[in-house]
Amino acid sequence: MTFMRNLLAVACLGLTVPVAADAETYRVSQWLPESQTLTQTTRWLFDEVTEETGGALTFEVFAGGVLVPAKAHLSAIADGVAHAGFAYSGYTPSETPVTESLSGFAYKVKDPTVLAAAYADFIVNDAEANQEYRDHGVVPMGGWATANTDLLCNTAPMTSLADLKGKRVRVPGGAFSKMAEALGMIPVNVPSTEAYQAQQTGQTDCISMRPSSLNMEDNLEDVTKSVTLLGTAPTFASPMLVFNDEFWQGLDTAQRRVILDLFAEAMARNMVSSLAPQSKALEQAQADGIVVVEADSTITDALQAWVDAGTGGMVETAKANGVADPEVVYARFQRYLDKWQALYDQLADPLDEAALTAMFKDNLTDGIDAATYGM
């Protein structure tokens, strides 16, 4: 279906599609709920674009999957149902195998900000990674990462590998499913927006998510009795946003420059908002009666053995999804990780939003040519 036909299809759903270009409000789809940091960052970004362009570009952000279901974002944005949105690569491993194959690096790199920055750099400047998205009719932009994840369980406290055996755990797919299996758990791949219901109905015993999901970004405290602290891999291997090709190319160079410049601050805001509240969330959960326990050595040793053995067959999984030579891809990505780790290590305060913004601007977004990128 062509871009214009899809706009007509959206209009039939009752969404406004103005015919005058100067009156158009562009659609942004975010399947995460309003409470999520990434949704809030998305709203901030497009509000700022509107302000910086003097109202020439205005947007409506549809949150919670009301416009497009979580797993359909890549194709829907390419088809013009939305002009931009969040397309999570864990739901499209066959369409985005190169970038999805990087998810296992989350178990190798300590700092979520380094992962987010390296990924954002990679999808813009690595020809194969960028072309993977361009082949699907979208322009990728920005990086993000959650905080490290723990097990939020609707069970008695679990501290050992024996406790975890046979328990069903919500994970976002990819390497996370392999990790769950390495711990003797049964992975259940559902979007984070469905985690509450999955735990409430007994589809899962645990949810692998960050502590702020308990009582800040979500209300998973309602279906959680205990937390096992793992501090394992964040989710990161997806662009912060992808833009519909025709929409992006229809902007003028100055408008694209505005968006690119704002991405540096958007990434910084998102990382600070994601990482800062985790300790407070755990403190609040304990005050509310949830038991918080540390994983013992049987769990941590099993995790390390899994990483040492190849992170759940990262290479084999990537090949099965269509990546011809994963080791070459990983070597290229490692160079970006090394670059950003060195920059990150120079920060006096890794949660200083202004310093992060400057780091992203000076070393990423300023180097993207608004006249040629995505054209």
Side-chain angles (χ1 to χ4, degrees), residues 111 114 340-348 359:
D111 299 302
V114 173
W340 287 98
Q341 187 69 63
L343 292 166
Y344 180 81
D345 288 344
Q346 296 173 28
L347 295 173
M359 181 180 75

Side-chain angles (χ1 to χ4, degrees), residues 207-250:
I207 299 167
S208 177
M209 287 179 68
R210 55 207 172 276
S212 58
S213 299
L214 289 166
N215 45 39
M216 292 184 174
E217 294 183 289
D218 291 299
N219 57 345
L220 296 181
E221 268 197 16
D222 295 349
V223 291
T224 300
K225 296 177 181 177
S226 66
V227 174
T228 302
L229 299 176
L230 293 182
T232 53
T235 305
F236 81 96
S238 297
M240 179 178 282
L241 289 166
V242 297
F243 292 85
N244 172 277
D245 265 356
E246 291 186 35
F247 165 74
W248 181 259
Q249 293 164 9

Side-chain angles (χ1 to χ4, degrees), residues 74 86-90 92 95-106 109 111-126 128-130 132-133 138-145 235-242 263 267 271 329 332-341 360 364 368 373:
L74 182 64
F86 176 49
Y88 175 56
S89 68
T92 56
E95 291 82 2
T96 55
V98 170
T99 53
E100 168 56 18
S101 76
L102 304 176
S103 63
F105 276 90
V109 177
D111 299 302
T113 301
V114 173
L115 289 165
Y119 182 83
D121 204 346
F122 187 71
I123 58 170
V124 168
N125 292 305
D126 182 87
E128 184 179 13
N130 185 261
E132 181 169 79
Y133 283 95
V138 298
V139 179
M141 193 77 63
W144 65 286
T235 305
F236 81 96
S238 297
M240 179 178 282
L241 289 166
V242 297
F263 256 94
M267 288 174 59
M271 292 314 305
V329 174
R332 296 201 310 266
F333 185 58
Q334 186 62 52
R335 291 194 288 272
Y336 289 89
L337 288 170
D338 292 343
K339 166 188 170 179
W340 287 98
Q341 187 69 63
F360 294 140
L364 176 60
I368 302 174
Y373 181 65

